[in-house]
Amino acid sequence: VELPFDHHDIRVYIDNLFIEGLLHSVPHEHADILSKTWAGIGVRTAPIEDRSRRLSKLIDSLEASIPAEDAKHTDWFHFARGWAELKKVMSNEDWGLSERQSIQIKELSRKVDERFLAWIHRRYAGLIQLPANPPVMVHHIPRFLANALLSSHHSSPRPKLALVVIDGLALDQWLVVRDALASCQPGFRFREQAVFAWIPSLTSVSRQATFAGKAPIFFPNSIQTTDKEPALWAQFWA
């Protein structure tokens, strides 16, 4: 009712919404007929064929959208979401990849690594200068939370915020966790925002920067350990 799905300017985006996992396909009594139309991507037919078709489209979509060497950091955030979706689809053990898909993914992975490394050399150093709202690197997170609290100081009762850090959780694994949370708690709302880790992305460097709200250069004495995290966290809020 709200969206004119028969309009070309809208329809051109529908594929991507299903491919990237933002919309989910549904069963339909006329699935055999609908699967041959533009709406086919959103209709479940044979599960293995559906997944294989979606995987092929996802590979093509990612291949065409690898960010350039001088891309904005937000382009990599968007790409990472699609890349995570690809890894999630691949990890399903109920079915294997075709030989062609395996070759495509291997070649795509090589291209992504090369392009991302080139981008890191060119643009990563400038990320530290960006404002913390929205956060771009892990050390921006406490400042972002503080800003959120300050902007809600008129609210009554005052809202509470929690920072939950799950060490070593990859973005594709988060998609699995999020889906599980959403199925258990249908009322939950998710507003997702990616951030860059510090390099090297070791716990004592990157996670410590998260709690300290500072770049690693400001906590040299504890760079090899995580013992100071509670003190650095308390120091930030003080």
Side-chain angles (χ1 to χ4, degrees):
V1 176
E2 301 295 335
L3 288 173
F5 285 107
D6 56 345
H7 194 288
H8 175 74
D9 289 350
I10 300 290
R11 194 180 295 181
V12 73
Y13 292 107
I14 300 300
D15 259 26
N16 286 356
L17 293 173
F18 283 102
I19 291 165
E20 293 175 16
L22 298 168
L23 293 178
H24 301 284
S25 58
V26 293
H28 193 277
E29 57 186 4
H30 299 303
D32 53 334
I33 299 167
L34 287 172
S35 65
K36 297 178 177 67
T37 71
W38 67 272
I41 189 75
V43 181
R44 281 186 210 155
T45 49
I48 292 176
E49 286 174 25
D50 283 351
R51 281 203 195 103
S52 185
R53 182 179 59 186
R54 184 173 163 225
L55 184 65
S56 292
K57 290 193 173 197
L58 191 50
I59 293 168
D60 292 343
S61 171
L62 290 169
E63 180 99 52
S65 62
I66 303 174
E69 273 186 43
D70 59 347
K72 295 176 183 173
H73 64 275
T74 48
D75 293 342
W76 278 108
F77 287 159
H78 183 76
F79 184 84
R81 178 66 177 67
W83 186 251
E85 194 65 40
L86 175 69
K87 292 186 78 174
K88 185 180 127 189
V89 176
M90 281 168 54
S91 67
N92 192 307
E93 295 175 358
D94 296 341
W95 61 293
L97 300 173
S98 70
E99 188 178 351
R100 181 171 174 271
Q101 286 173 335
S102 295
I103 293 168
Q104 278 183 304
I105 290 167
K106 195 172 180 180
E107 178 61 17
L108 179 60
S109 186
R110 184 190 63 76
K111 284 182 186 173
V112 172
D113 283 348
E114 281 181 4
R115 190 74 62 82
F116 188 54
L117 184 59
W119 184 87
I120 287 287
H121 281 302
R122 189 165 177 172
R123 300 296 299 269
Y124 182 81
L127 298 179
I128 189 175
Q129 310 296 343
L130 295 173
N133 199 4
V136 177
M137 297 188 73
V138 287
H139 72 286
H140 289 155
I141 292 171
R143 177 62 54 208
F144 171 71
L145 296 178
N147 289 341
L149 282 174
L150 285 171
S151 64
S152 62
H153 70 280
H154 295 304
S155 305
S156 184
R158 193 166 179 175
K160 291 185 177 181
L161 289 173
L163 172 63
V164 181
V165 180
I166 306 177
D167 206 337
L169 187 80
L171 191 51
D172 56 291
Q173 295 167 330
W174 159 247
L175 297 183
V176 176
V177 173
R178 189 202 58 193
D179 289 350
L181 286 171
S183 63
C184 297
Q185 299 285 347
F188 275 12
R189 285 190 300 156
F190 297 90
R191 287 192 291 268
E192 293 166 299
Q193 166 73 36
V195 291
F196 283 98
W198 267 90
I199 297 175
S201 58
L202 302 168
T203 296
S204 62
V205 176
S206 202
R207 191 182 78 189
Q208 197 167 197
T210 305
F211 289 116
K214 298 174 183 174
I217 195 172
F218 294 109
F219 48 86
N221 296 335
S222 61
I223 202 71
Q224 304 290 346
T225 176
T226 57
D227 294 351
K228 301 290 187 206
E229 283 181 345
L232 289 167
W233 177 245
Q235 190 181 63
F236 172 84
W237 290 102

